Amino acid sequence: MVRFNAQSTMKAVVAHRYGPAEEHSIADLPVPQPGPGQIQVRIAAASINPADVRLAAGDFRDAIDLPFPHVPGNDFVGTVSDVGEGVTRYAVGDEIFGFATPRVLRHMGSSSLSTGALAEYAVFEAETPFLARRPDALDVEQAAALPTVGLTARALMASAEVKPETRVLVVGATGGVGTAVLPLLAQAGAHVVATARDADADLVRSLGAAEAVGYDDYPEGVDLALNLVLPGDRLERLVAAVRPGGTLLSITFPPPAPHDEVDVRLVLDMEGRYGGMAEVAVDALAGRLRARIAARYEFADAVRALADFAGRHKTGKLVVRVLSRS
C-alpha cells in the first residue's frame, strides 16, 4: 500500500476536480513512499495519452469515481529512488521505463498501477511486465514516448494477423499509435490506406501508407480496419467500410458492439499476453518500433501540454521533461 510522506513534498500536475486540462495546476504534494512489492521512481520524462485527459475531464464519470487530487500520467521513464519490502527485481539507481494506470483503475485487471507519472516522484508495482530496465541505447525521450505506443502496436499486429496484400484502413493514423503501427503494417506487406489531413498526407506515406484519404472518405471493402481514435460506440461508418467476413480492431472506449458480418473487437492487453516492456525495448533497439515525437515540453508547461493534447491536432506523441537536464 502506498504511503505519503507529509514531511517531504514534490511538484506534480494536479487535477483538483473534474474539468478540462486547463483547470489543472502544478502543485506541491506529499512524496509517495513505496509499500511492500512497490518501487519509487524519480521521473525523468512522461508522455501523454488519451486517458490522461479523459479521466479528469469526467468522460468516464458514470463508471469510475475518480478521487482528488488526481495526478495524471501513464507512460514514463526514470530512475528507481527507493524500493519497498520484498522487491528483488529492481534496485535503487536502476533506469527503468514503462506504462502504469491510475490505481483507481485496478478493477480493470492491470498488474501495473501507479500514483501518476506527471510528477517528480511516483510509486509503481514492481512485479509487472509493463515495466523494464531502459537499455542504454534507448534515449530518454523515446523511452517516455514508447510504452503505450509500443504495447498497443504489438497487440494490434498480433491480433490482426496481417498477410501480404491485406487491404487495411487505419483511422487515426497520425497519432502516437498510428505513426508507430503504419511501418509495421507496411513491413508485413499490407496495402495501407490511412486517414489524414492534406497537410499530413506525405507523412503517412513516408511511414508506409500506400494511400492517404480524408476523414470522410473511407474506401469500401477493406479486409481490416484499425480504429485508433473514434469513440467505440460511433463506428457504424467504419464497420460499413469493412467487407463481410473482415475485421475491425478498436483501441478506444466504450467497447464496440458486435456485428453480424464483421469481426469487431476491442484490443486491450492488460495482462501482457502480447509481450511487455522488455519486448518493446527489443523491438525498439532492432529498429522495428519507434515513437514519433510531435512536441516536447518542460515540466513548467505540463498543463499546457495536456491542454494541447486535448485540443490541438498532433502527429505523434507529446513528451514532458519532468527532470531538468541542467
Side-chain angles (χ1 to χ4, degrees):
M1 182 174 180
V2 178
R3 298 173 290 110
F4 292 90
N5 184 355
Q7 304 303 313
S8 179
T9 61
M10 66 176 183
K11 298 293 184 183
V13 175
V14 179
H16 302 277
R17 64 191 68 83
Y18 286 117
E22 291 87 346
E23 295 181 0
H24 301 353
S25 65
I26 295 178
D28 290 325
L29 289 181
V31 174
Q33 304 296 320
Q38 297 174 335
I39 56 175
Q40 181 196 73
V41 176
R42 175 67 165 102
I43 305 296
S47 66
I48 298 173
N49 294 297
D52 297 327
V53 296
R54 296 191 67 190
L55 269 176
D59 290 4
F60 308 116
R61 194 171 182 175
D62 291 343
I64 300 166
D65 187 15
L66 190 66
F68 295 102
H70 168 71
V71 178
N74 294 349
D75 289 359
F76 78 96
V77 60
T79 304
V80 176
S81 48
D82 195 4
V83 298
E85 180 183 352
V87 173
T88 58
R89 185 177 180 186
Y90 300 108
V92 172
D94 286 347
E95 300 279 335
I96 69 170
F97 76 120
F99 158 87
T101 61
R103 306 189 74 79
V104 71
L105 299 181
R106 61 171 60 85
H107 66 280
M108 294 179 62
S110 175
S111 62
S112 192
L113 304 169
S114 91
T115 56
L118 281 169
E120 292 179 314
Y121 292 91
V123 163
F124 302 87
E125 304 300 319
E127 293 300 325
T128 169
F130 298 122
L131 306 186
R133 287 178 176 81
R134 178 179 68 86
D136 290 342
L138 183 64
D139 71 59
V140 167
E141 291 184 355
Q142 272 294 307
L146 263 175
T148 293
V149 161
L151 292 168
T152 307
R154 285 178 54 87
L156 285 168
M157 293 302 295
S159 301
E161 299 178 350
V162 176
K163 298 177 175 59
E165 301 307 317
T166 299
R167 189 168 174 82
V168 184
L169 171 61
V170 180
V171 177
T174 59
V177 174
T179 52
V181 81
L182 288 180
L184 300 180
L185 292 166
Q187 291 160 20
H191 180 96
V192 181
V193 182
T195 61
R197 296 182 178 187
D198 289 344
D200 299 327
D202 288 344
L203 169 64
V204 296
R205 290 191 180 98
S206 73
L207 293 171
E211 303 176 50
V213 299
Y215 295 122
D216 296 319
D217 297 328
Y218 297 163
E220 296 180 354
V222 300
D223 302 303
L224 169 68
L226 302 183
N227 172 48
L228 311 180
V229 66
L230 298 173
D233 56 357
R234 301 179 189 176
L235 300 181
E236 294 84 359
R237 287 187 56 246
L238 187 53
V239 170
V242 181
R243 64 168 175 79
T247 301
L248 190 160
L249 302 179
S250 180
I251 66 171
T252 65
F253 281 92
H259 192 274
D260 291 340
E261 296 185 338
V262 175
D263 179 13
V264 180
R265 282 178 274 155
L266 175 69
V267 176
L268 181 66
D269 183 14
M270 299 303 289
E271 297 83 34
R273 49 186 198 279
Y274 299 120
M277 209 52 51
E279 288 76 18
V280 168
V282 169
D283 284 349
L285 294 180
R288 292 185 291 269
L289 269 178
R290 183 168 180 81
R292 175 181 172 81
I293 298 175
R296 298 162 175 85
Y297 299 77
E298 299 303 324
F299 190 53
D301 295 321
V303 173
R304 180 166 63 87
L306 287 163
D308 286 352
F309 184 92
R312 293 176 57 182
H313 176 69
K314 50 218 164 279
T315 54
K317 295 281 287 184
L318 306 187
V319 172
V320 177
R321 302 169 177 136
V322 179
L323 180 61
S324 173
R325 292 181 294 176
S326 60

